[in-house]
Amino acid sequence: MCAIHACKPPQPELITINGKQLEINQSIKTKDSIEQFVAPYRIRIDHILDSVIAYTPKAISKTEGKYNTTAGNLMADIVMQEVNPIFKARTGNNIDFVLLNFGGIRSVISKGNITARTAFEVMPFENSVFIAELDGKTVGELVEFLIKSSVPHPISGIQIIIDQNKALKEVNIQGKPFDKNRTYFIATSDYLVTGGDRMDFFKNHVSLMDSDYLIRNTMIDYFKKVDTILTTIDDRFIQID
């Protein structure tokens, strides 16, 4: 016989866990009660996302250029314009240049009206802007990576000039020749600072700051400020004879 409080019932033990994948598709019928609950929220969200905030007279794509594209240039320039004042206010320094990744641009911006939904289509990820401080050696590795890359990763604030054999001829940052003896502040994404897209050089940062600013939100804020979006392919990354 057990003393009071001395005996405890046997504790159940987990033997196994079974599960199966349930596909969510159009065969699942909606419930009126849920639809009625969600409806006002959906209407409000659709109103916000579909309100026109800018206009582009031509389609903006990431595939129309060899070394830089209209979509890539626009995206990198937006990050530079929107994030640099924040970085300057917090640190007293300016962003030297921007590097994003080609694969992060997920949609064409079609000719015509631009809405907040457009920004979600172009940048569906929750990527935020980080500013990494890199020394001259690491910036050199970054440039070599871009030269060898098979896709035009978006850049702003830096100019790379190569010859017909893809040998480096010149690098300018903020209009001045690259100085291997100093450090530079590069705005990029949280995905890339961890080595995403094989950009392992970002792991060698001297310092790192989170701007707390989603790339998507930089786009929306920029679109609201600029009535008509004009883009071009320029000489920020070029190959010369």
Side-chain angles (χ1 to χ4, degrees), residues 59-73 75 101-109 122 125 150-154 197 233:
I60 302 172
S61 169
K62 71 174 185 179
T63 60
E64 57 189 334
K66 184 176 181 180
Y67 291 109
N68 66 95
T69 69
T70 53
N73 292 352
M75 207 160 180
N101 63 312
F102 177 85
I105 304 174
R106 308 299 281 194
S107 176
V108 172
I109 300 177
V122 174
F125 313 109
S150 59
V151 295
H153 293 293
D197 261 5
I233 296 172

Side-chain angles (χ1 to χ4, degrees), residues 72-84 94-101 129-132 134 142 146 153-160 172-174 184-189 192 199 201-202 215 218 236-237:
N73 292 352
L74 174 65
M75 207 160 180
D77 288 348
I78 287 175
V79 169
M80 176 67 83
Q81 178 173 315
E82 298 299 314
V83 181
N84 189 59
N94 287 306
I95 294 172
D96 292 297
F97 64 94
V98 176
L99 170 58
L100 303 174
N101 63 312
V129 180
F130 274 68
I131 297 87
L134 302 183
L142 180 156
L146 292 177
H153 293 293
I155 57 174
S156 180
I158 184 172
Q159 181 189 43
I160 301 172
N172 297 299
I173 299 175
Q174 291 298 322
Y184 289 90
F185 294 101
I186 300 94
T188 187
S189 71
L192 297 184
M199 298 191 192
F201 43 81
F202 274 122
I215 296 176
T218 69
R236 67 187 68 192
F237 194 156

Side-chain angles (χ1 to χ4, degrees), residues 25-184:
N25 54 42
Q26 294 181 345
S27 67
I28 300 176
K29 296 181 179 180
T30 60
K31 287 189 176 182
D32 291 341
S33 59
I34 296 178
E35 283 296 310
Q36 291 173 5
F37 178 81
V38 171
Y41 299 98
R42 180 186 292 116
I43 292 171
R44 177 58 179 165
I45 291 173
D46 287 344
H47 173 73
I48 294 172
L49 291 182
D50 294 330
S51 297
V52 176
I53 54 179
Y55 173 85
T56 177
K58 65 176 184 178
I60 302 172
S61 169
K62 71 174 185 179
T63 60
E64 57 189 334
K66 184 176 181 180
Y67 291 109
N68 66 95
T69 69
T70 53
N73 292 352
L74 174 65
M75 207 160 180
D77 288 348
I78 287 175
V79 169
M80 176 67 83
Q81 178 173 315
E82 298 299 314
V83 181
N84 189 59
I86 297 172
F87 185 63
K88 177 73 172 179
R90 293 184 186 178
T91 68
N93 297 308
N94 287 306
I95 294 172
D96 292 297
F97 64 94
V98 176
L99 170 58
L100 303 174
N101 63 312
F102 177 85
I105 304 174
R106 308 299 281 194
S107 176
V108 172
I109 300 177
S110 300
K111 175 183 176 180
N113 292 333
I114 294 175
T115 66
R117 191 182 297 276
T118 304
F120 276 83
E121 292 170 347
V122 174
M123 173 54 68
F125 313 109
E126 298 296 304
N127 289 131
S128 61
V129 180
F130 274 68
I131 297 87
E133 182 182 9
L134 302 183
D135 60 25
K137 177 179 179 296
T138 307
V139 172
E141 294 172 1
L142 180 156
V143 171
E144 285 300 316
F145 172 86
L146 292 177
I147 293 172
K148 294 177 181 178
S149 178
S150 59
V151 295
H153 293 293
I155 57 174
S156 180
I158 184 172
Q159 181 189 43
I160 301 172
I161 303 174
I162 58 176
D163 65 19
Q164 288 298 314
N165 297 316
K166 299 187 73 173
L168 180 62
K169 297 289 291 183
E170 191 175 340
V171 176
N172 297 299
I173 299 175
Q174 291 298 322
K176 298 179 181 180
F178 166 55
D179 183 356
K180 64 180 181 180
N181 296 313
R182 58 159 288 190
T183 63
Y184 289 90

